[in-house]
Amino acid sequence: MKKKNYFVSFLIGITNVLIGSGGGIIAVGMLKNEGLSQKEAQSTAIACMLPLTLASVFLYLKNRAVDFSSILPYLPFGIIGAVCGAKTLKKISPKILSLLFSAFLIYSSIRLFFK
Amino acid sequence: MNFIQIAAAGFLSGFLGAMGLGGGSVLIIFLVLFLNTPQIQAQGMNLIFFIPCALTALIIHSKNKLIKWKYVLITDALGIMGIITASLFLNKIDSEYIRKIFAVFIFVIGFKEIIKTIKEYRKKQK
């Protein structure tokens, strides 16, 4: 792995704890930088984030920052969504979706910042 | 908080997450902006939420042979160090401040993606 990406991996850990998300996106960018294709990078990133997220959850639980029950209603829909998403990933390139999503992120960031 | 909101937010988060599109942000945004969940709790919920979704997506992806495990090992080794480091100051930062950091983060991501898409579009035009 390129030297700078060792540091990026370290940052992924920090980000995952600090903002409870985002590690995956950084991971995808880093893996593509390492030469993986878009789809390989996206899939590998998920594999990277799973153990790291488990560790982060452990941390949050230990600090009592969250409890399990609050997320339960969302889970069945999330799993269905994940199955659909994983199958779609193999078939289509998410470019338009990505653009819409970016617009949504920018809108949300402004609302969140000034909340 | 009604059933449709939960179903939609849950589904979208899982869907986008499985596509590697930062689905994690969707759930946190929904929880904080619409349900007034405290930022740290929303982040914790998102982290928990990610696990079954990622497992599901992984099982499908590994069948497609898309995962390069060598990178997983290296990234995680360094990543865990990052997690331990962050754990040292997680308690010391205010929730409001973390929300702003989150907001800046998603702004940067959104902005970068748009620039990237415009660049790719221009390339195609040529």
Side-chain angles (χ1 to χ4, degrees):
Chain A
M1 196 182 248
K2 298 179 187 174
K3 282 182 185 163
K4 69 171 179 182
N5 287 331
Y6 284 102
F7 181 65
V8 173
S9 299
F10 178 80
L11 279 182
I12 289 173
I14 296 214
T15 308
N16 199 239
V17 168
L18 195 64
I19 60 173
S21 59
I25 297 186
I26 302 176
V28 171
M30 178 191 81
L31 290 166
K32 284 175 77 173
N33 184 256
E34 285 287 325
L36 274 68
S37 74
Q38 176 71 33
K39 290 180 180 178
E40 286 173 335
Q42 289 181 218
S43 308
T44 307
I46 299 178
C48 291
M49 296 317 299
L50 194 56
L52 292 180
T53 303
L54 280 166
S56 303
V57 166
F58 174 74
L59 194 69
Y60 271 65
L61 286 173
K62 204 177 110 188
N63 284 316
R64 292 191 206 155
V66 69
D67 71 284
F68 274 122
S69 58
S70 52
I71 198 60
L72 286 175
Y74 297 85
L75 285 178
F77 304 103
I79 296 184
I80 298 171
V83 172
C84 296
K87 295 198 159 164
T88 315
L89 180 61
K90 203 183 174 221
K91 292 175 191 168
I92 64 159
S93 171
K95 276 190 186 125
I96 294 188
L97 196 62
S98 175
L99 206 60
L100 282 171
F101 185 65
S102 304
F104 173 72
L105 285 183
I106 292 186
Y107 163 76
S108 303
S109 73
I110 296 171
R111 276 199 65 182
L112 278 171
F113 195 90
F114 293 109
K115 189 173 191 268
Chain B
M1 161 167 57
N2 65 55
F3 179 81
I4 297 181
Q5 284 180 317
I6 295 179
F11 180 84
L12 272 176
S13 300
F15 184 81
L16 293 171
M19 296 194 88
L21 270 179
S25 325
V26 170
L27 188 61
I28 296 179
I29 292 169
F30 169 76
L31 289 172
V32 176
L33 274 183
F34 295 104
L35 295 184
N36 289 310
T37 311
Q39 179 73 22
I40 306 263
Q41 188 185 330
Q43 288 178 188
M45 287 169 74
N46 181 54
L47 288 169
I48 297 174
F49 178 82
F50 177 77
I51 294 167
C53 297
L55 267 171
T56 312
L58 263 194
I59 292 169
I60 298 174
H61 285 150
S62 67
K63 276 193 200 158
N64 297 336
K65 303 228 160 106
L66 286 169
I67 301 172
K68 303 297 167 199
W69 294 100
K70 172 182 106 181
Y71 288 100
V72 176
L73 238 55
I74 304 175
T75 307
D76 282 356
L78 273 303
I80 291 280
M81 290 189 226
I83 290 178
I84 294 174
T85 308
S87 73
L88 297 173
F89 53 81
L90 177 66
N91 284 334
K92 297 173 185 169
I93 306 181
D94 198 40
S95 194
E96 289 264 315
Y97 198 66
I98 295 209
R99 176 160 41 83
K100 293 196 200 272
I101 296 176
F102 177 78
V104 169
F105 185 86
I106 63 174
F107 183 86
V108 169
I109 298 291
F111 190 73
K112 275 186 141 185
E113 261 308 300
I114 290 182
I115 301 284
K116 190 176 114 180
T117 310
I118 294 177
K119 278 187 180 171
E120 285 174 2
Y121 182 73
R122 282 201 179 148
K123 258 190 184 177
K124 269 188 177 175
Q125 296 270 296
K126 291 179 183 172

